[in-house]
Amino acid sequence: MIELEGVPELIDPVMVAAFEGWNDAGDAASTAVAHLDREWKGEVFAALDAEDYYDFQVNRPTVFLDNGVRKITWPTTRLSVVRVGGDKPRDLVLVRGIEPSMRWRSFCNEILAFAHELGVEMVVILGALLGDTPHTRPVPVSGVTSDPDLARTMDLEETRYEGPTGIVGILQEACTHAGVPAVSLWAAVPHYVSQPPNPKATLALLNRLEDLIGLRIPLGELPEDARAWQVGVDQLAAEDSEVAEYVQTLEEARDTAELPEASGEAIAREFERYLRRREPGTGPGGGPGVAMEGGDTPFLRDPGSGRTRPPKPEQPGPEAVPGTETAEGSEETDVPEGPTASADGSPDTDADTDAGRDPVLDTDADTGADADGDTGAGSDTDGGADGESGK
């Protein structure tokens, strides 16, 4: 039984989750949750036992020195709570970690147990996929759900995907079967520039999340980082005529496909978002929130202390290889002096970088998006660009 002593009663809580690895192209999704945690000064109140869910030969623990004492940080998934103030305060439960290596059903059940105990009203899972999208255009973000009623009431797409999936898809289905409303937001990352970070995709996810839950999210330096990222990719693309031609082809295809979107309704949506950022209290769901300085409620501490013109990605295949994840930990253990362990012994999945090609513009496009959006962030992933949008 989960006991959450010291965690106060939450106000209209929404759980927002993201996992590094297969569903996190460009680290866009996990960075979005990390941004929320940093901007709203989240306090960790729980961490899942790393021993139960992770293969340490895939996700290596790391060793570091703390005041001369050697300690270990274990890969895990942590939960934190942030309180957002404003006219109608509410709480967010943030879940951030690495896609588990094993026992996915138990992993999801444990997350759901926390959701039930905390009275979570809705679960929003963030993901990012690789696709045929030009970096010069707005990042497409799809909102999907398995619940027909939720799809209708929140203007979302009902997923019709069939095929290999990641922890995002599994957790969404677990929520649906448990009667917890769940939504997945998927950002499409250009497959030819898949290396993290991708602040433009992170920004797009946060903007869509803002619309979904009716809270104003402080963006900090993200807009400027997104602009700088695009300028940098523009400069790299301009150095290779074939890459520049390919990007232009993607732009033309995107503009043609989205021509019907240049409607009064689409313009109105963008104008509403603009107004919400200028006039506090005009956002949906009671208006945008503002983080309370320092907060007025204490939370528990962490308990564990060479290029050719790039081809289009292939269609979804029967197998995919997760990208290399970065270990994130919650437990610290004192260890005796000894040889320093390697940071990560997991295999490098970005073969283009190893081959001496441009580490930013991946013109081989070995990577692709799973038709679901349950996609690989690594370069060996097969797939198309639809995402888990039911397209």
Side-chain angles (χ1 to χ4, degrees), residues 261-347:
E261 291 295 322
S263 63
E265 183 180 350
I267 294 172
R269 286 197 300 267
E270 291 303 314
F271 187 60
E272 288 173 359
R273 179 182 290 124
Y274 168 76
L275 290 179
R276 282 200 300 272
R277 291 196 169 279
R278 290 178 58 88
E279 301 176 11
T282 61
V290 179
M292 302 170 65
E293 287 296 331
D296 57 2
T297 308
F299 297 106
L300 287 180
R301 296 188 297 273
D302 186 340
S305 350
R307 311 180 185 104
T308 60
R309 180 172 179 171
K312 296 175 64 176
E314 300 175 1
Q315 292 304 309
E319 58 186 88
V321 180
T324 302
E325 297 91 351
T326 302
E328 177 183 349
S330 66
E331 301 178 42
E332 295 181 355
T333 307
D334 293 344
V335 297
E337 286 292 341
T340 302
S342 60
D344 193 335
S346 57

Side-chain angles (χ1 to χ4, degrees), residues 21-285:
W22 207 60
N23 298 140
D24 193 23
D27 290 354
S30 57
T31 302
V33 174
H35 176 88
L36 296 175
D37 190 72
R38 180 174 60 253
E39 292 293 326
W40 280 325
K41 300 177 175 61
E43 292 290 335
V44 173
F45 66 87
L48 305 190
D49 190 342
E51 197 80 18
D52 292 338
Y53 304 113
Y54 295 101
D55 180 346
F56 299 142
Q57 291 182 322
V58 176
N59 299 289
R60 298 275 178 172
T62 58
V63 179
F64 67 100
L65 289 175
D66 182 13
N67 294 324
V69 178
R70 294 173 65 81
K71 294 186 176 181
I72 296 177
T73 299
W74 296 92
T76 190
T77 294
R78 298 181 297 174
L79 292 84
S80 59
V81 175
V82 298
R83 174 149 295 175
V84 185
D87 295 337
K88 294 183 65 176
R90 77 182 310 171
D91 296 310
L92 297 182
V93 180
L94 306 179
V95 180
R96 181 163 62 104
I98 305 169
E99 183 178 64
S101 306
M102 62 194 79
R103 302 185 182 92
W104 284 19
R105 286 175 290 187
S106 297
F107 179 89
C108 292
N109 287 336
E110 193 163 352
I111 296 294
L112 280 170
F114 281 107
H116 284 303
E117 188 73 18
L118 295 168
V120 167
E121 298 180 346
M122 181 171 66
V123 175
V124 182
I125 316 169
L126 307 184
L129 53 90
L130 301 178
D132 284 339
T133 181
H135 72 278
T136 54
R137 297 294 185 265
V139 176
V141 178
S142 301
V144 298
T145 181
S146 299
D147 186 333
D149 295 332
L150 196 62
R152 183 176 58 257
T153 58
M154 303 193 72
D155 192 25
L156 301 167
E157 297 180 44
E158 186 179 353
T159 179
R160 298 295 183 190
Y161 170 75
E162 296 177 295
T165 189
I167 193 61
V168 171
I170 298 300
L171 181 56
Q172 177 168 316
E173 290 306 308
C175 290
T176 300
H177 288 295
V180 179
V183 176
S184 295
L185 300 181
W186 290 95
V189 173
H191 67 85
Y192 58 89
V193 55
S194 60
Q195 283 72 21
N198 191 319
K200 187 173 182 178
T202 296
L203 180 61
L205 280 171
L206 292 175
N207 283 335
R208 185 62 185 272
L209 177 64
E210 186 177 64
D211 294 340
L212 184 70
I213 64 178
L215 290 177
R216 181 177 177 181
I217 298 174
L219 299 177
E221 298 179 356
L222 261 180
E224 183 60 34
D225 291 342
R227 284 189 290 269
W229 176 86
Q230 181 165 325
V231 169
V233 180
D234 284 341
Q235 293 172 346
L236 289 171
E239 296 174 0
D240 190 307
S241 60
E242 291 185 345
V243 172
E245 181 183 353
Y246 179 67
V247 172
Q248 183 178 1
T249 301
L250 293 179
E251 291 172 339
E252 292 171 353
R254 172 76 178 273
D255 294 344
T256 300
E258 295 193 349
L259 187 60
E261 291 295 322
S263 63
E265 183 180 350
I267 294 172
R269 286 197 300 267
E270 291 303 314
F271 187 60
E272 288 173 359
R273 179 182 290 124
Y274 168 76
L275 290 179
R276 282 200 300 272
R277 291 196 169 279
R278 290 178 58 88
E279 301 176 11
T282 61

Side-chain angles (χ1 to χ4, degrees), residues 362-382:
D362 184 2
T363 58
D364 282 343
D366 292 346
T367 57
D370 203 304
D372 182 322
D374 295 322
T375 62
S379 61
D380 294 328
T381 307
D382 295 329

